[in-house]
Amino acid sequence: MAMNDADGCPASTEGMGAAEALFHSLSDATRLAIVRRLAEGEARVADLVARLGLAQSTVSAHVACLRDCHLVEGRPEGRQVFYSLTRPELLELLASAEVLLAATGNAVALCPNYGTDSHDDGGAR
């Protein structure tokens, strides 16, 4: 699977199952934060930048990834674009994930491959 180095979004989903592509698109903390913010309602990239405290180019790249995965859509209004979630089921998926995490005591954080301590491994997976 080819990766876009700028934001970790798959450059292509060729050879990737639909569920794998969905979860990969949500696996980045910034993209997840964008989805959570958009759950509150529409937002422009400038609004997301202010909320997340990240560079505009970084936020734009992550929004583009979510848009390419059809999880987010843009509504142009003049020179601005207001982004929103495309499907309410995404919120149900995230709510189910929170229930699962609570039920397992957040044990996934201890996973040697994907847990919270695995992020400092120099990128090796």
Side-chain angles (χ1 to χ4, degrees):
M1 165 180 69
M3 298 296 292
N4 176 337
D5 292 338
D7 60 17
C9 189
S12 167
T13 57
E14 184 177 331
M16 193 187 281
E20 184 181 1
L22 171 65
F23 285 109
H24 186 80
S25 69
L26 297 172
S27 68
D28 182 87
T30 299
R31 290 192 293 271
L32 198 52
I34 290 169
V35 167
R36 287 183 174 151
R37 167 52 188 89
L38 294 179
E40 299 170 14
E42 287 185 322
R44 303 167 301 151
V45 168
D47 301 324
L48 297 169
V49 166
R51 170 72 73 91
L52 302 174
L54 298 171
Q56 182 271 328
S57 59
T58 300
V59 173
S60 290
H62 285 291
V63 169
C65 179
L66 292 166
R67 190 184 61 237
D68 291 346
C69 292
H70 301 280
L71 298 175
V72 166
E73 62 189 358
R75 178 182 60 81
E77 186 174 300
R79 296 179 64 191
Q80 302 179 55
V81 177
F82 290 84
Y83 292 96
S84 61
L85 300 177
T86 59
R87 305 291 311 178
E89 293 87 353
L90 181 54
L91 299 178
E92 295 170 18
L93 174 67
L94 294 177
S96 293
E98 290 177 9
V99 170
L100 178 61
L101 288 169
T104 63
N106 293 315
V108 72
L110 301 176
C111 174
N113 293 320
Y114 303 110
T116 54
D117 291 338
S118 69
H119 296 292
D120 296 328
D121 62 2
R125 297 255 172 191

